[in-house]
Amino acid sequence: NFFLLFIRIVRKLSREETLLILSDNIDRKLHNAAEAGDEALVSQLIGQGATVDWRGQANSTALQRAAQGGHTPVVTRLLDAGW
């Protein structure tokens, strides 16, 4: 039935969009934590799968934000995570 197929496609797309939104949110949180120098939160977000080299607004990375703020432990943690 076409209607059931359509519903399945919509549900699948909704799940994928939700995953993208969640990923974007966790990556933004990583940027904010790096900028604030919150090493514990940075480690937690990396453990939850945040994208370490994701580029946010102004095309910056969490590593750049941490370095600009002089947050050496956070810079080290991001580098250790594979940046």
Side-chain angles (χ1 to χ4, degrees):
N1 184 324
F2 175 77
F3 181 72
L4 292 177
L5 178 62
F6 177 76
I7 294 297
R8 274 191 254 159
I9 291 171
V10 168
R11 285 183 182 157
K12 182 174 179 359
L13 290 174
S14 293
R15 278 192 300 270
E16 289 172 1
E17 286 175 359
T18 300
L19 290 175
L20 287 173
I21 289 168
L22 290 175
S23 173
D24 185 40
N25 285 337
I26 196 170
D27 296 334
R28 287 183 197 280
K29 287 178 184 177
L30 179 64
H31 274 228
N32 293 336
E35 188 172 28
D38 189 337
E39 184 182 5
L41 183 55
V42 166
S43 292
Q44 179 184 354
L45 293 168
I46 289 170
Q48 292 175 358
T51 307
V52 177
D53 60 349
W54 181 79
R55 293 185 176 272
Q57 292 179 338
N59 204 29
S60 65
T61 64
L63 179 63
Q64 290 169 317
R65 288 186 175 196
Q68 288 169 347
H71 305 299
T72 305
V74 174
V75 169
T76 302
R77 178 65 183 100
L78 290 166
L79 290 172
D80 288 345
W83 204 104

